Amino acid sequence: MSQITRYGIIGCGMMGQEHLQNIALLDGAEVAAIFEPDAGMAAKSLALAPKATLYDSLEALVAHPDLDCYLIASPNFRHVEQLTYLAKHRPLPVLVEKPLFTDPAQQDSLREIRDSYPAPIWVAMEYRYMPPITAFLEAAEGATGGIKMLSLREHRFPFLEKVGDWNRFNRYTGGTFVEKCCHFFDLMRLALKSEPVRVLASGGMDVNHRDEAYDGETPDILDNGFVIVDFANGARALLELCMFAEGSRYQEEVCATGPKGKIEAYVPGPGRFWPDHLGEAPIPQLIESPRDPKGPIARDIPVDPTLLAAGDHNGSTFYQHQKFLDLVRGKSHAPEVSLNDGYMAVIMGMAAQISMKEHRAVEISELTRAMNG
């Protein structure tokens, strides 16, 4: 491997460009090749990575001679087919954006990839690497004495516009509980150190996108919902999502409680959406509230302004890439976010989509048979 680690980027729209900005901040890394079929997005991508070669197909990118790893940041429904192509033609280490897949029928292909792909596959779960969330995860066990209840709230802006409006339809996104919420289901498993057993959900499309039409078709994505998850170790978790609450001071609020006390993390949304007339954007906070002696202990968890300027995820994309590069360079030996982690986060989202539609609790085992068969 060369001294410079060279990425091939597959899909370079809004999220792909955040990756480009963060790769540019890394020591000894550069983007060598980009496949992005939309002309406007391709032009923006080359402005961010001027040394990269633009290709008009996945096949051409894979044939680029000097690649050390891939990043897949294409629309959700393309991830499995692209991983399958890489597995057959040139399997290098890959960082694949969430959600890993969008259709239960893709589990057979995923099982083949899991069992045969000879290089590491890391599923991008940026929320793990937000500094306030990282601090929360590190302190939660001690602050709570063992988490019994975990709640995650995201009060945010509506879905942004994407190329071709693909994110307006469940068949392309997997559904809002998959597309947007797999991050939170991943955090549930990580914080609770246990596997989900059943899921109960309620949600709807009550405010956003109701007056939109694309080729005569109305969007079918949710804009709000609640999801309750029971875990094998007896803990339970709650997700509250609202996508018409961008007036909130904090976008994400995470709370864990146990016999010793409570711990909370407060994470602001993208700084570019914070109004100038309100002054400086909020600083992330971590608050521990012991039961004895009572008294909340709050501390700020500031994020490097350079990293804040390089994306919408509180610096997490940079920290994720640092760890992924360690894996590519052989300094670590396994992805921190495995294919199974990405798989389970999607399965939990799919269970929530089914629960909401069919008005029943869904056992996780109903959905995992194909992968485990």
Side-chain angles (χ1 to χ4, degrees):
M1 185 183 297
S2 62
Q3 290 183 324
I4 300 294
T5 302
R6 294 183 170 89
Y7 282 78
I9 310 295
I10 301 165
C12 216
M14 187 179 300
M15 190 61 207
Q17 289 164 37
E18 177 168 325
H19 284 288
L20 293 184
Q21 292 181 77
N22 283 274
I23 292 169
L25 298 174
L26 297 163
D27 291 331
E30 68 179 36
V31 176
I34 294 172
F35 164 49
E36 171 48 60
D38 181 80
M41 290 298 179
K44 291 179 179 179
S45 300
L46 288 177
L48 292 169
K51 293 182 179 179
T53 301
L54 181 67
Y55 291 102
D56 61 3
S57 69
L58 177 60
E59 294 80 2
L61 178 138
V62 168
H64 184 91
D66 297 319
L67 295 181
D68 299 304
C69 60
Y70 303 112
L71 164 72
I72 297 177
S74 54
N76 302 354
F77 62 99
R78 298 292 188 194
H79 294 173
V80 172
E81 68 179 77
Q82 290 167 345
L83 281 170
T84 299
Y85 184 86
L86 299 181
K88 290 180 178 178
H89 296 278
R90 193 181 178 188
L92 299 173
V94 58
L95 177 65
V96 55
E97 263 296 342
K98 62 82 193 167
L100 178 62
F101 68 112
T102 58
D103 185 339
Q106 294 173 316
Q107 290 187 76
D108 288 342
S109 296
L110 273 178
R111 188 173 65 247
E112 291 181 14
I113 292 167
R114 178 196 66 190
D115 294 343
S116 65
Y117 200 91
I121 297 174
W122 183 309
V123 181
M125 288 289 184
E126 284 83 16
Y127 284 36
R128 286 189 181 207
Y129 300 101
M130 293 179 174
I133 298 298
T134 299
F136 172 92
L137 292 168
E138 290 172 350
E141 189 72 17
T144 63
I147 303 172
K148 300 301 181 184
M149 299 176 68
L150 176 67
S151 65
L152 303 97
R153 170 188 289 170
E154 182 167 68
H155 281 192
R156 54 161 284 162
F157 49 92
F159 279 114
L160 299 173
E161 294 182 5
K162 298 291 180 75
V163 173
D165 305 302
W166 65 267
N167 65 339
R168 284 346 195 215
F169 298 98
N170 288 337
R171 64 181 178 272
Y172 300 131
T173 68
T176 300
F177 285 142
V178 171
E179 203 309 305
K180 180 42 53 192
C181 301
C182 61
H183 279 301
F184 302 112
F185 299 132
D186 177 63
L187 290 178
M188 288 179 184
R189 291 180 63 248
L190 185 62
L192 295 176
K193 301 178 179 64
S194 184
E195 294 297 341
V197 175
R198 68 188 58 83
V199 174
L200 180 65
S202 176
M205 187 175 74
D206 296 322
V207 176
N208 301 333
H209 317 301
R210 294 166 62 91
D211 58 352
E212 297 177 8
Y214 303 91
D215 295 326
E217 190 175 3
T218 302
D220 58 1
I221 49 173
L222 309 176
D223 62 10
N224 72 99
F226 294 98
V227 182
I228 298 172
V229 185
D230 291 333
F231 280 80
N233 66 358
R236 56 187 59 86
L238 169 70
L239 168 67
E240 176 187 336
L241 174 72
C242 180
M243 300 187 70
F244 43 89
E246 61 266 42
S248 304
R249 181 170 180 80
Y250 292 103
Q251 182 168 289
E252 285 87 28
E253 301 175 19
V254 183
C255 176
T257 54
K260 282 184 60 177
K262 178 172 74 170
I263 185 169
E264 301 163 279
Y266 293 89
V267 186
R272 64 192 176 104
F273 295 151
W274 187 254
D276 290 339
H277 73 271
L278 293 179
E280 294 294 323
I283 296 174
Q285 276 202 325
L286 189 73
I287 303 176
E288 294 187 40
S289 301
R291 296 177 69 190
D292 184 21
K294 291 181 181 179
I297 304 163
R299 60 186 173 103
D300 290 343
I301 310 290
V303 180
D304 185 332
T306 301
L307 302 185
L308 289 176
D312 290 342
H313 295 85
N314 281 273
S316 61
T317 303
F318 175 80
Y319 295 120
Q320 179 177 249
H321 273 285
Q322 279 189 320
K323 291 175 178 289
F324 175 66
L325 279 182
D326 282 346
L327 181 67
V328 174
R329 293 166 175 168
K331 296 179 181 179
S332 61
H333 302 291
E336 285 191 2
V337 190
S338 67
L339 188 141
N340 184 66
D341 291 328
Y343 169 76
M344 287 303 302
V346 169
I347 286 293
M348 294 167 74
M350 288 180 172
Q353 294 283 146
I354 294 169
S355 175
M356 180 208 62
K357 183 178 180 180
E358 298 183 3
H359 307 289
R360 66 178 180 91
V362 175
E363 299 290 322
I364 290 293
S365 60
E366 294 179 38
L367 300 177
T368 56
R369 296 188 185 102
M371 193 68 163
N372 298 326

